[in-house]
Amino acid sequence: MEHKDLFSVFSGAVKRKISDSDKEAPIPRKQKPEPLVAEDEKLNPMEALEQVQAVNEAKNSSSSEENLAEKEPEFNIITGTVVGCQHECILPITHKRKDRDLSKPPAKKYNFKLDPFQEVSIDCLERNESVLVAAHTSAGKTVVAEYAIAMALKNRQRVIYTSPIKALSNQKYREFSQEFEDVGLMTGDVTLNPHASCIVMTTEILRNMLYKGSEVVREMAWVVLDEIHYMRDKDRGVVWEETIILVPSTVRYVFLSATIKNAREFAQWIGKIKMQPCNVVYTDFRPVPLQHYIYPKGASGIYLVVNERGEFLDQKFNDAIAQLEKDDEMVVSSGKKRKREKRTAASEMKKIVELVVDNKLDPCIVFSFSKGECENNVRSLIGMDLTNEKEKKAIEEIYKNAIATLSEEDQQLKMIQNMLPILKKGLGIHHGGLLPILKEVIEILFQESLIKVIFTTETFSLGINMPARTVVFTSIEKFDGEKFRWIGGGEYIQMSGRAGRRGIDDKGKCILIADKKMDTDVAKGILKGQPDPLYSSFYLSYNMLLNMQRIEDMNPSYLITRSFYQFQRDQALPRKKKELVDLKTKLEELEFPEAKKISRYMKLKKGVEDIGLEIRRLVFTPEHVLPYFAVGRLVHVMDKEADWGWGIVVNFTRKRIVPRKSVQNFPPEANTEENASQLREESVVVDILLYVQKKTTRDGALQPAAASQGNGALSVVPVVLQMIGEISKIKMKTLTNLKEPESVARTERLYLELMKRFNFQLPLMDPVEDMEIEDARLNSLLGNKAELEEKIKSEGLENIEPDEIQKFKELDALKKRVKVLKAEIHQGTKMAFHDTLISMQRVLRRLEFCDLNSVLPKGKVACEISAGDELLATEMLFSGMFNSMKPSVIAGVLSCLIYTEKKSDEEMSKNGDLVAGFSQMRQIAERIGKIRTEISVSEKLDEYVNRFKPDMMEITLQWCNGASFGEICKATEIYEGTIIRCFRRLDELIKELLSAAKIIGNTQIIEKLTEIEKSMKRDIVFAASLYL
């Protein structure tokens, strides 16, 4: 490799100053607390103590805020472009950049030509400067990490390599051990050669070492943080920020990331908090160009919509969507819409895999967004066979060698036995619910090209380089925990990056299975979308606060003010101030004389609508309305999204229905969490002839049509009672057999004539006079509503023009935005998490984990705990509840702190000891929850207490009492891989509690926890990784 000063070849290199918002805040130091003087005799000592602490914290915060405004060091940004990548260096103005010593031999030589981004990155390392490398999956970022390791080892320095998951750490350890001599591994499960010069570990391990001041971290010269974009993870992303902040400023970083669009912002943050140069090396280059196809479900082939040059082919896209539109059209002939040709997901998956294999586009990765879908897809192809005899023999040999490490009993597990026949057909499956050993052997077989098609979740796109020729997406939507949404452009980029094998394929293929129509803009956003930005998921934890209080001359403000969250908030402040100025100017332009009058009208109208909703809740109950739901009755159907107009009642039934699966494709409101509890009970479903459009939406849902325009058709739609808003006095008596086209046409003609006769405003049934409902509350509401309606008339507000109302709404929206901006700007001048910090510190003092000056014994125990809820685990330990419990029962109860799956059908254990232990744990959790709720209004007691689930108590008890893994799997519906993952995490919690018990010197608990640890660590649950 030719070495040269890359900055000497930059064209148009410039220097500029970073804005004021980029400047660094000095470290806030702890202040000595003022003497406690409780002037109010009604305050108890603890309350007085908290009051003084709040005052002191406010002073500290105020001091920190003042510091933020002080003059701070400036930075230069050196920018330039090398063909194939972009390079920027964030350089402190006080830092003099060293020239690279070109006479030194390289730390590592490669037998292939490096890509430009790799050369530039290595140049940064040789200058002893930190670097963020942002490139696509499989682009070769690991080359940079290897060079950093080689350089550190050459200079007799220690280098730490971190990854987000244990499996990836194991894989990297194997990879680096083949390349370098002195390599160690620390994952929590496994520790190998912990004093090595190069140690591979999870990011959590490094974070914990930093808090404890480990000798290993004091000797660090370089830290490689792989998959740094994992910092976005809402649960674990904070660990990356803690680690980066706590690593000494003398240490240099190598950040490896997928493409991110705010790479410069991240490097500016590093430059600010570490006062050292940080380079950004960014490339969009793909070693193997990609072609993107759409496969419309039911079509006979795939459509190329983005070619290898990145050009979006509009005509091909329109042709693909036209296939779906043909399927979505409906006609109302015989009183119902034409049914689609029945196709199962199995037949569709078989068709697409046959297409891939027949066109020699394997090996292929099929991404799904659920474990269950992965398994269903494999089962749908069980009749296919994609391997020859030689490959079958190789697969069987590798598989049997892998499982030979297990006991004979574990080798007979159902999942172990059932997997080999599937693998021998060239099919694979990979998700978090699989046994770890199976995941690893499947990864090895895929790397050896023995598996032709692998069905996996999106986690397969993370980490080790396992590219394929083709990537298939089974859906264009995914459930994000709250709702179904389109795949994000960044997500698609990450997963599609697995397509195309460097040096083997000239092009990679990506196939998106579309079962719903989408607009061109949506398709471009997915297929040609921008990378996701890197944003902070920083939050405060009690473990973090206690650890920071333990460190001399430190406090939580040190972490907060240096967090990426605070930095991004500071960066956004100037933009928000400018937006506020612009909005105020716009408000002055939009003000008009009638605004006050319209505001009064809107207020009264809102009152009428609110009362109307309350009246509807009282009136529209089954006992009140069902007597009037005779065939032919006209009712008004509506939801928050749309007015579906008047429809004709056909029939009604009482059903117990499930949200999302009820009332297929209609109405949207039936599928919201707001109505979920009601819908789970027995509900009334009314079949109604509604006037709807002749085409469904992109996701197959019906759309209302305007009866006044006559461009739709009547169609029978099942509707839940909650969606009916009004009942008309009119009942059509001519409704006949809806299975006959002539009858439907006649009914539709009469319906339209009726609607026109009444000008689409049908007379309504009065709940008192017509329906004879006797209810004092109803009478009161009707009176209030009439009073408000009279005010609208008497004040001359009933004839306000729609244009004026729209103008007022725009004005009102601007005023609300101004109010929000003012609040955000006010908060932006304060330290982030200011109020949260004060509340959490009060909780810790109330629970006696710390006082104003020091961490108390409970707090020291909590500092040791990160695998589970530190407050609850500590209180359980100090409560003495474990003293009379058997070790296996203790393990069972502690499993409640580990298992966090959202949905479960597991029954509560019938074991009396477990039930009693769970009850004790809940009582402690309720006490903690009440304190948290009293101090912070954002805390909800039920949410905290219900976080701890008993689903794994029984099987944990059985496992600790010697049951085999096969026996406990038969006793639960939980995935085998999930059980092992939870058991391993429980083992981490046991180790942490063991360390804590040694701090407080409780020998009885030490003995019990030691026994638990011995009983748990056996067989397949703790089988060694195949990579080790």
Side-chain angles (χ1 to χ4, degrees):
M1 182 180 71
E2 182 183 357
H3 294 278
K4 55 187 176 182
D5 186 350
L6 290 165
F7 278 88
S8 64
V9 299
F10 283 166
S11 58
V14 296
K15 293 185 178 182
R16 70 174 180 85
K17 292 181 179 178
I18 288 182
S19 63
D20 290 342
S21 60
D22 291 333
K23 300 170 185 175
E24 181 186 18
I27 301 173
R29 300 296 185 186
K30 285 195 286 188
Q31 298 180 9
K32 185 177 180 181
E34 295 178 358
L36 175 62
V37 180
E39 295 180 0
D40 188 347
E41 294 179 357
K42 293 182 180 179
L43 288 177
N44 62 42
M46 180 57 72
E47 289 172 335
L49 197 64
E50 290 175 352
Q51 190 179 72
V52 172
Q53 176 66 7
V55 171
N56 288 335
E57 286 165 344
K59 289 180 179 179
N60 283 339
S61 172
S62 174
S63 173
S64 298
E65 289 156 17
E66 290 171 6
N67 287 339
L68 285 170
E70 292 176 4
K71 181 77 176 172
E72 297 168 351
E74 294 178 336
F75 295 81
N76 291 324
I77 297 183
I78 303 175
T79 64
T81 303
V82 174
V83 176
C85 73
Q86 299 171 352
H87 180 198
E88 294 180 336
C89 179
I90 311 298
L91 190 68
I93 202 165
T94 56
H95 185 92
K96 186 176 180 182
R97 200 154 195 265
K98 296 179 182 178
D99 293 330
R100 177 178 175 182
D101 184 357
L102 299 177
S103 64
K104 288 171 54 179
K108 179 176 172 58
K109 294 183 179 180
Y110 296 90
N111 57 4
F112 55 86
K113 180 174 174 55
L114 295 178
D115 290 332
F117 85 89
Q118 295 168 332
E119 288 190 353
V120 173
S121 301
I122 288 172
D123 180 78
C124 298
L125 300 181
E126 286 288 0
R127 291 173 184 271
N128 197 37
E129 294 174 355
S130 297
V131 61
L132 164 64
V133 184
H136 286 299
T137 305
S138 305
K141 296 185 291 289
T142 303
V143 166
V144 182
E146 289 174 346
Y147 195 90
I149 294 169
M151 196 170 68
L153 296 179
K154 178 185 174 185
N155 297 331
R156 300 182 181 279
Q157 297 171 322
R158 172 161 280 159
V159 57
I160 305 294
Y161 184 103
T162 75
S163 76
I165 52 178
K166 295 176 183 178
L168 182 57
S169 294
N170 292 339
Q171 293 163 353
K172 289 298 181 183
Y173 169 77
R174 179 186 180 91
E175 186 179 324
F176 293 153
S177 295
Q178 294 171 347
E179 184 73 24
F180 307 105
E181 291 183 0
D182 193 17
V183 181
L185 175 67
M186 300 176 74
T187 64
D189 293 342
V190 180
T191 299
L192 299 172
N193 195 12
H195 302 293
S197 299
C198 171
I199 307 177
V200 179
M201 61 179 68
T202 56
T203 314
E204 278 86 355
I205 296 289
L206 179 55
R207 188 270 311 268
N208 294 342
M209 284 183 163
L210 288 163
Y211 274 135
K212 293 178 180 179
S214 167
E215 185 178 340
V216 169
V217 300
R218 288 198 295 268
E219 297 171 351
M220 287 188 303
W222 288 88
V223 174
V224 180
L225 288 161
D226 199 357
E227 308 285 350
I228 190 64
H229 52 274
Y230 212 84
M231 201 165 83
R232 291 186 292 242
D233 185 84
K234 67 177 182 178
D235 296 320
R236 296 176 57 212
V238 63
V239 175
W240 274 254
E241 288 191 57
E242 288 179 89
T243 301
I244 292 168
I245 295 166
L246 293 172
V247 165
S249 296
T250 53
V251 176
R252 297 294 181 258
Y253 299 90
V254 177
F255 303 104
L256 304 181
S257 172
T259 50
I260 50 176
K261 62 182 180 183
N262 60 335
R264 175 193 287 179
E265 183 183 36
F266 179 84
Q268 287 175 334
W269 172 57
I270 297 299
K272 175 181 176 178
I273 66 171
K274 296 301 178 184
M275 289 303 296
Q276 61 172 263
C278 185
N279 297 267
V280 176
V281 180
Y282 185 96
T283 180
D284 280 322
F285 171 72
R286 286 191 183 273
V288 181
L290 300 183
Q291 293 178 325
H292 304 268
Y293 296 82
I294 284 181
Y295 168 70
K297 275 196 173 178
S300 56
I302 56 179
Y303 294 78
L304 177 66
V305 292
V306 178
N307 62 25
E308 63 273 20
R309 296 182 296 279
E311 298 166 344
F312 190 88
L313 308 178
D314 291 89
Q315 186 56 52
K316 291 289 187 182
F317 173 76
N318 292 334
D319 291 344
I321 297 303
Q323 292 293 317
L324 290 172
E325 289 180 342
K326 285 180 184 177
D327 215 31
D328 283 337
E329 288 191 20
M330 67 175 189
V331 291
V332 183
S333 55
S334 73
K336 59 182 179 180
K337 71 177 182 178
R338 174 173 53 85
K339 293 184 178 180
R340 300 181 181 189
E341 177 189 349
K342 290 185 178 180
R343 303 182 200 95
T344 64
S347 63
E348 291 291 343
M349 183 50 59
K350 186 175 181 181
K351 187 189 292 185
I352 196 71
V353 170
E354 285 175 345
L355 185 148
V356 167
V357 174
D358 291 346
N359 288 277
K360 295 183 169 50
L361 299 178
D362 56 299
C364 171
I365 301 172
V366 181
F367 281 113
S368 299
F369 297 109
S370 75
K371 300 169 188 172
E373 187 180 350
C374 289
E375 298 192 349
N376 289 336
N377 287 335
V378 169
R379 281 193 286 268
S380 71
L381 303 178
I382 209 67
M384 296 185 72
D385 194 342
L386 309 178
T387 55
N388 57 38
E389 288 304 316
K390 183 179 179 182
E391 289 170 328
K392 283 178 170 52
K393 186 176 180 182
I395 290 169
E396 184 170 2
E397 184 178 355
I398 293 172
Y399 188 81
K400 288 186 174 179
N401 286 339
I403 67 167
T405 59
L406 303 176
S407 67
E408 288 189 13
E409 189 174 14
D410 285 339
Q411 289 181 36
Q412 300 305 312
L413 286 170
K414 185 177 179 181
M415 182 179 276
I416 298 285
Q417 291 296 310
N418 290 348
M419 187 60 70
L420 182 56
I422 296 172
L423 297 178
K424 288 174 72 174
K425 293 176 182 289
L427 303 173
I429 185 170
H430 192 285
H431 60 65
L434 282 185
L435 296 170
I437 194 169
L438 287 184
K439 286 202 293 185
E440 290 182 349
V441 73
I442 288 168
E443 289 163 4
I444 292 168
L445 290 171
F446 189 75
Q447 286 175 296
E448 297 296 325
S449 297
L450 293 170
I451 289 179
K452 311 302 179 183
V453 181
I454 187 168
F455 296 88
T456 181
T457 54
E458 58 190 308
T459 53
F460 195 73
S461 65
L462 181 74
I464 199 164
N465 183 25
M466 283 195 284
R469 186 172 187 186
T470 302
V471 164
V472 174
F473 295 81
T474 60
S475 176
I476 52 180
E477 286 186 315
K478 65 177 289 189
F479 187 68
D480 61 7
E482 296 179 1
K483 63 182 184 303
F484 283 92
R485 61 166 176 82
W486 298 114
I487 302 171
E491 293 168 325
Y492 183 80
I493 289 170
Q494 178 78 3
M495 289 183 276
S496 63
R498 290 290 174 203
R501 297 165 296 175
R502 192 169 190 171
I504 301 175
D505 303 321
D506 58 342
K507 298 181 189 70
K509 313 285 184 181
C510 298
I511 302 173
L512 195 60
I513 298 178
D515 57 352
K516 297 179 180 179
K517 292 179 290 184
M518 56 180 162
D519 297 331
T520 303
D521 291 342
V522 172
K524 288 181 178 178
I526 297 173
L527 301 172
K528 287 176 60 64
Q530 295 298 311
D532 293 328
L534 187 61
Y535 54 82
S536 172
S537 295
F538 188 87
Y539 63 86
L540 298 179
S541 68
Y542 292 101
N543 177 279
M544 178 198 298
L545 301 189
L546 291 166
N547 271 301
M548 289 304 293
Q549 191 169 345
R550 285 181 75 181
I551 301 173
E552 188 177 355
D553 289 333
M554 287 278 192
N555 63 27
S557 301
Y558 179 88
L559 277 178
I560 295 171
T561 56
R562 280 159 174 72
S563 68
F564 194 40
Y565 182 92
Q566 179 76 57
F567 179 80
Q568 289 188 309
R569 199 165 83 152
D570 292 345
Q571 291 281 88
L573 203 56
R575 175 183 54 78
K576 289 181 179 179
K577 287 180 178 178
K578 183 179 183 305
E579 184 184 354
L580 181 60
V581 171
D582 294 342
L583 285 181
K584 285 182 176 179
T585 303
K586 195 171 181 180
L587 273 176
E588 293 175 2
E589 296 172 355
L590 286 177
E591 285 287 0
F592 62 105
E594 298 296 315
K596 190 173 181 180
K597 179 181 177 181
I598 297 174
S599 176
R600 170 69 174 164
Y601 167 74
M602 298 295 286
K603 184 176 180 181
L604 291 173
K605 185 185 176 187
K606 178 70 165 57
V608 171
E609 290 173 350
D610 289 345
I611 293 173
L613 287 174
E614 188 62 28
I615 290 172
R616 189 195 168 284
R617 290 191 190 98
L618 290 174
V619 172
F620 278 78
T621 58
E623 60 269 24
H624 289 152
V625 300
L626 291 188
Y628 302 94
F629 276 7
V631 176
R633 176 75 65 187
L634 274 85
V635 293
H636 194 178
V637 179
M638 62 188 75
D639 59 43
K640 290 181 181 178
E641 303 298 325
D643 184 347
W644 294 80
W646 290 93
I648 309 166
V649 173
V650 176
N651 188 23
F652 68 84
T653 54
R654 292 178 181 269
K655 294 181 181 179
R656 184 176 297 276
I657 56 180
V658 180
R660 195 174 292 281
K661 292 183 179 178
S662 66
V663 193
Q664 186 176 4
N665 296 328
F666 179 86
E669 283 302 299
N671 296 331
T672 62
E673 285 300 317
E674 187 178 340
N675 295 321
S677 59
Q678 293 175 301
L679 292 172
R680 288 190 187 98
E681 302 302 323
E682 187 176 71
S683 298
V684 175
V685 178
V686 188
D687 291 332
I688 300 175
L689 267 176
L690 281 176
Y691 199 72
V692 296
Q693 293 184 26
K694 295 180 181 179
K695 288 185 179 181
T696 59
T697 64
R698 58 176 172 78
D699 50 0
L702 296 172
Q703 303 175 87
S708 58
Q709 297 177 10
N711 60 353
L714 283 179
S715 181
V716 177
V717 180
V719 178
V720 287
L721 179 61
Q722 290 91 331
M723 303 300 108
I724 299 176
E726 294 174 322
I727 304 177
S728 170
K729 291 182 179 181
I730 297 174
K731 184 175 72 169
M732 292 179 62
K733 296 181 179 179
T734 56
L735 200 64
T736 53
N737 189 355
L738 295 177
K739 293 182 180 180
E740 298 176 3
E742 297 81 6
S743 176
V744 173
R746 183 169 60 253
T747 300
E748 185 175 315
R749 186 170 60 255
L750 290 171
Y751 166 82
L752 293 174
E753 289 175 359
L754 178 70
M755 296 305 295
K756 288 175 184 177
R757 184 187 309 167
F758 285 93
N759 197 25
F760 301 93
Q761 294 181 348
L762 305 184
L764 304 179
M765 295 195 76
D766 186 277
V768 176
E769 294 182 5
D770 297 320
M771 301 174 71
E772 300 179 347
I773 299 173
E774 296 180 2
D775 188 298
R777 170 69 175 156
L778 175 62
N779 292 332
S780 174
L781 288 170
L782 288 170
N784 293 340
K785 183 182 178 187
E787 184 180 338
L788 290 179
E789 289 171 338
E790 180 57 35
K791 281 185 179 182
I792 291 175
K793 290 180 181 179
S794 63
E795 295 179 20
L797 303 175
E798 72 271 27
N799 295 320
I800 295 175
E801 293 295 327
D803 291 346
E804 289 185 321
I805 293 175
Q806 183 58 36
K807 188 175 179 182
F808 174 80
K809 286 181 177 179
E810 292 175 8
L811 183 67
D812 190 53
L814 283 179
K815 287 181 177 178
K816 288 177 180 177
R817 177 58 184 159
V818 166
K819 188 176 180 180
V820 169
L821 275 175
K822 285 181 176 179
E824 289 178 351
I825 289 169
H826 175 69
Q827 285 295 323
T829 60
K830 298 167 64 177
M831 181 181 71
F833 303 102
H834 174 268
D835 297 339
T836 304
L837 172 61
I838 291 176
S839 297
M840 291 177 71
Q841 289 178 323
R842 288 184 66 198
V843 169
L844 290 172
R845 290 193 297 275
R846 285 276 295 275
L847 290 170
E848 299 181 346
F849 279 60
C850 67
D851 57 24
L852 290 173
N853 303 309
S854 60
V855 177
L856 302 176
K858 277 187 182 179
K860 291 177 181 177
V861 167
C863 284
E864 300 293 321
I865 299 169
S866 60
D869 186 279
E870 59 270 43
L871 298 186
L872 181 56
T874 301
E875 289 291 345
M876 290 168 70
L877 190 62
F878 274 82
S879 71
M881 63 179 284
F882 294 152
N883 294 342
S884 58
M885 285 185 184
K886 296 177 182 177
S888 57
V889 176
I890 294 174
V893 174
L894 287 175
S895 71
C896 302
L897 279 67
I898 300 298
Y899 186 74
T900 57
E901 297 287 325
K902 291 184 179 179
K903 298 178 182 177
S904 177
D905 298 324
E906 296 293 313
E907 294 182 359
M908 180 67 177
S909 171
K910 294 181 174 59
N911 182 288
D913 292 337
L914 286 178
V915 172
F918 182 72
S919 176
Q920 286 180 273
M921 184 206 70
R922 278 187 66 92
Q923 289 174 12
I924 295 171
E926 286 173 1
R927 181 169 63 83
I928 295 170
K930 284 177 182 176
I931 291 173
R932 291 168 61 139
T933 305
E934 288 169 8
I935 291 174
S936 174
V937 293
S938 63
E939 293 275 5
K940 293 183 179 178
L941 178 61
D942 289 345
E943 284 184 9
Y944 178 73
V945 175
N946 294 332
R947 190 187 305 171
F948 311 106
K949 300 178 177 64
D951 303 61
M952 286 192 61
M953 288 200 307
E954 183 65 38
I955 61 172
T956 303
L957 175 80
Q958 292 177 17
W959 179 253
C960 289
N961 285 335
S964 69
F965 191 73
E967 289 171 342
I968 67 169
C969 287
K970 291 176 183 176
T972 181
E973 294 297 318
I974 300 173
Y975 277 109
E976 292 90 336
T978 302
I979 294 173
I980 290 182
R981 187 167 60 252
C982 289
F983 277 179
R984 290 181 176 182
R985 189 154 180 81
L986 178 58
D987 179 64
E988 289 179 30
L989 178 60
I990 298 298
K991 286 177 181 175
E992 292 170 352
L993 286 171
L994 192 53
S995 177
K998 291 175 181 176
I999 291 175
I1000 59 178
N1002 190 326
T1003 55
Q1004 183 184 10
I1005 297 299
I1006 291 172
E1007 290 174 2
K1008 290 185 176 184
L1009 293 174
T1010 302
E1011 186 176 336
I1012 294 172
E1013 192 176 25
K1014 289 179 180 177
S1015 64
M1016 286 196 68
K1017 297 197 75 167
R1018 60 185 173 86
D1019 301 340
I1020 195 170
V1021 173
F1022 288 89
S1025 168
L1026 299 178
Y1027 292 107
L1028 304 181

